[in-house]
């Protein structure tokens, strides 16, 4: 069964550094998402992406964040200048359609900002 | 924006008993309500979902009910087993998927 994959599984970085988290969505899916989960808390929506554009973004997704689909398979989340509070698990997800469709989650990237 | 409230935050049941988790949502435009199970350090896994044109859905030991008028939906797990122990999240989808705060379910053998 196809799955969403993410790399790296863990990332440690210094505050102020840029990080890029990578995701490979399920191949026939058209909608892509990033979520964040701070340890012990709920999953929070960051951004949705369709047809090479952001569809929706949350208040968390400020100017420090950007997303890109650099080729036909990868979907990336960039954090330009990391802050301590960016430490979290970041999940990528994908779905066939936007509304009323199942979103399948990747295994996550655990980001630790020191 | 959408607000999803989930209760209880923790739930302990004896093996074989039923577990019920309840959620309410605020945005009447929400039309899709998935439930995810998350084991420690793992990804959220969809266990069941329901769309707004349906009032109830069942899959083996798991069932979900939806009351659109009251804007609440519930997860029911019957004949619980120790492997059901995990954090369960409800979610509601209007313009984006909004998650509840999670329920730590512990099934005691």
């Amino acid at each position: 069964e196809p799955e969403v994959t993410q790399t790296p599984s863990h990332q440690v970085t210094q505050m102020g550094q840029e990080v890029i988290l990578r995701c490979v969505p399920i191949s026939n899916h058209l909608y892509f998402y990033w979520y964040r989960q701070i340890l012990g808390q709920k999953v929070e929506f960051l951004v949705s992406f369709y047809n090479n554009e952001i569809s929706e973004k949350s208040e968390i997704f400020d100017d420090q964040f950007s997303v890109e689909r650099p080729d036909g398979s990868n979907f990336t989340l960039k954090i330009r200048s990391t802050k301590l509070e960016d430490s979290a698990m970041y999940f990528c997800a994908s779905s066939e359609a936007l509304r009323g469709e199942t979103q399948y989650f990747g295994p996550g990237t655990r980001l630790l900002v020191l | 924006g959408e607000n999803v409230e989930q209760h209880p935050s923790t739930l302990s049941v004896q093996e074989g008993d039923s577990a019920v988790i309840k959620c309410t949502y605020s945005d009447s435009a929400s039309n899709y309500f998935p439930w995810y199970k998350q084991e420690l350090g793992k990804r959220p896994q969809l266990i069941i979902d329901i769309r707004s044109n349906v009032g109830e859905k069942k899959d083996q030991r798991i069932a979900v009910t939806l009351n659109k008028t009251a804007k609440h939906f519930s997860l029911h797990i019957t004949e619980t087993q120790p492997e059901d122990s995990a954090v369960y999240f409800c979610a509601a989808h209007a313009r984006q998927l909004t998650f509840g705060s999670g329920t730590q379910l512990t099934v005691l053998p």
Side-chain angles (χ1 to χ4, degrees):
Chain A
E1 186 175 324
E3 285 190 334
V4 176
T5 59
Q6 289 184 242
T7 54
S9 58
H10 295 77
Q11 175 91 48
V12 181
T13 190
Q14 294 290 325
M15 189 171 57
Q17 294 297 303
E18 175 184 286
V19 294
I20 297 176
L21 310 183
R22 292 182 168 79
C23 168
V24 178
I26 294 173
S27 61
N28 64 330
H29 286 185
L30 301 177
Y31 294 85
F32 316 121
Y33 314 86
W34 283 102
Y35 293 86
R36 177 183 83 175
Q37 187 177 32
I38 295 170
L39 188 64
Q41 298 187 22
K42 67 178 178 181
V43 178
E44 299 175 289
F45 170 80
L46 292 178
V47 66
S48 60
F49 190 86
Y50 168 71
N51 200 25
N52 284 319
E53 288 185 348
I54 290 174
S55 306
E56 297 285 339
K57 60 182 181 178
S58 71
E59 293 173 354
I60 304 168
F61 194 88
D62 61 22
D63 292 344
Q64 298 284 16
F65 291 89
S66 63
V67 289
E68 191 179 29
R69 187 154 164 85
D71 54 44
S73 59
N74 289 284
F75 178 50
T76 62
L77 175 70
K78 181 192 289 186
I79 310 174
R80 268 180 263 284
S81 178
T82 49
K83 303 189 280 279
L84 296 177
E85 54 265 37
D86 293 327
S87 295
M89 181 75 97
Y90 289 81
F91 291 106
C92 173
S94 69
S95 66
E96 288 185 52
L98 182 59
R99 295 199 65 184
E101 287 293 330
T102 302
Q103 294 185 22
Y104 295 91
F105 282 72
T109 294
R110 183 166 296 284
L111 176 65
L112 178 60
V113 182
L114 302 175
Chain B
E2 174 71 280
N3 183 44
V4 177
E5 300 282 341
Q6 183 171 346
H7 300 280
S9 56
T10 60
L11 179 61
S12 291
V13 299
Q14 289 295 137
E15 183 177 358
D17 288 351
S18 295
V20 180
I21 302 170
K22 298 182 178 183
C23 290
T24 61
Y25 63 99
S26 60
D27 191 341
S28 56
S30 288
N31 69 341
Y32 174 64
F33 306 90
W35 286 86
Y36 286 88
K37 175 183 179 182
Q38 187 179 33
E39 296 174 345
L40 192 62
K42 301 287 184 63
R43 75 184 84 191
Q45 295 267 20
L46 180 78
I47 56 171
I48 195 166
D49 55 14
I50 191 167
R51 289 173 174 78
S52 58
N53 58 346
V54 175
E56 185 173 353
K57 184 177 177 181
K58 189 173 181 180
D59 183 4
Q60 298 181 8
R61 296 187 296 111
I62 296 171
V64 59
T65 59
L66 170 66
N67 183 327
K68 283 184 60 180
T69 304
K71 294 199 189 75
H72 65 72
F73 56 114
S74 301
L75 176 72
H76 303 251
I77 306 174
T78 58
E79 300 172 29
T80 53
Q81 301 164 2
E83 51 265 38
D84 293 331
S85 296
V87 178
Y88 290 81
F89 290 98
C90 64
H93 195 292
R95 298 178 67 84
Q96 61 200 38
L97 196 59
T98 302
F99 283 77
S101 53
T103 296
Q104 173 69 62
L105 174 65
T106 303
V107 180
L108 304 168

